[in-house]
Amino acid sequence: MAARGPNISNVPLTSARRVVLRGPGATELALTVNGEAVTVQVPPRRTLLDTLREALALTGTKKVCDEGTCGACTVLVDGRAIYSCMTLAVTCEGKRVETIEGLAKDGELHPVQRAFIDADAFQCGFCTPGQIMSIVALLRETPAPTEDDVRRAVAGNLCRCGAYPNIVSAGVNAGKRKR
Ligand code: FES
Ligand code: FES
């Protein structure tokens, strides 16, 4: 069977290709979290989820499966919704991370947060921060989403309470709100 991927065995190492080794101990990591520049000391094996929750005390992002199957840990990195339990913090060096804590401004909830309350789009609330972050990412690209757009956006966010119909309504209604 043919080998997969590019053959790099004969690519010359030039001064332009610099490999930076980090760890195994804690290493300094600089990134932006909810608009604030932060520097943390993290071992290279530490996930972004654990870094947010433990080093930065941002516990709004939930740890449920911790293996990339539920979406409870969804945050935005450079505007893209990702599973923070499957992302090493060191790969976010210099990037812009947004969590549920960063959405409300000047004491006012973000339109998606407000829409979730109005549509009663949760029961236990454990999946809610992840659902909201996925819909926030959607609305930036699709300001007036359809039900199907919202369903696709939260396809990676499981709700064990089965609040899906109201989550979809919240996403559509949030698109109609102005900040
Ligand atoms: S906690 Fe990350 S996907 Fe479930
Ligand atoms: S509201 Fe309970 S898991 Fe979604």
Side-chain angles (χ1 to χ4, degrees), residues 160-177:
R160 290 161 179 83
C161 300
Y164 294 111
N166 294 10
I167 290 168
V168 171
S169 298
V172 172
N173 292 339
K176 296 175 184 159
R177 287 171 179 268

Side-chain angles (χ1 to χ4, degrees), residues 27-42:
T27 181
E28 192 169 282
L29 170 67
L31 67 170
T32 303
V33 179
N34 296 330
E36 246 182 72
V38 298
T39 303
V40 286
Q41 295 285 331
V42 287

Side-chain angles (χ1 to χ4, degrees), residues 74-82 96 98 103 110 112 116 129-145 149-150 152-154 157 171 174:
T74 302
V75 299
L76 308 189
V77 174
D78 284 349
R80 202 168 140 249
I82 57 109
R96 194 165 41 87
E98 294 169 82
L103 293 185
H110 187 282
V112 179
F116 264 65
Q131 307 274 6
I132 289 175
M133 297 313 291
S134 291
I135 294 175
V136 167
L138 166 69
L139 289 181
R140 288 183 187 163
E141 296 205 335
T142 308
D149 291 332
V150 178
R152 265 193 297 275
V154 298
N157 296 90

Side-chain angles (χ1 to χ4, degrees), residues 103-132:
L103 293 185
K105 296 273 183 279
D106 303 325
E108 260 197 55
L109 292 177
H110 187 282
V112 179
Q113 293 174 304
R114 175 53 55 197
F116 264 65
I117 293 171
D118 291 349
D120 199 15
F122 46 82
Q123 289 183 40
C124 76
F126 239 76
C127 72
T128 309
Q131 307 274 6
I132 289 175

Side-chain angles (χ1 to χ4, degrees), residues 9 41 43 57 59 62 83 90 99 113 125 127 133 140:
S9 57
Q41 295 285 331
T59 54
K62 300 305 178 206
Y83 288 169
V90 288
T99 72
Q113 293 174 304
C127 72
M133 297 313 291
R140 288 183 187 163

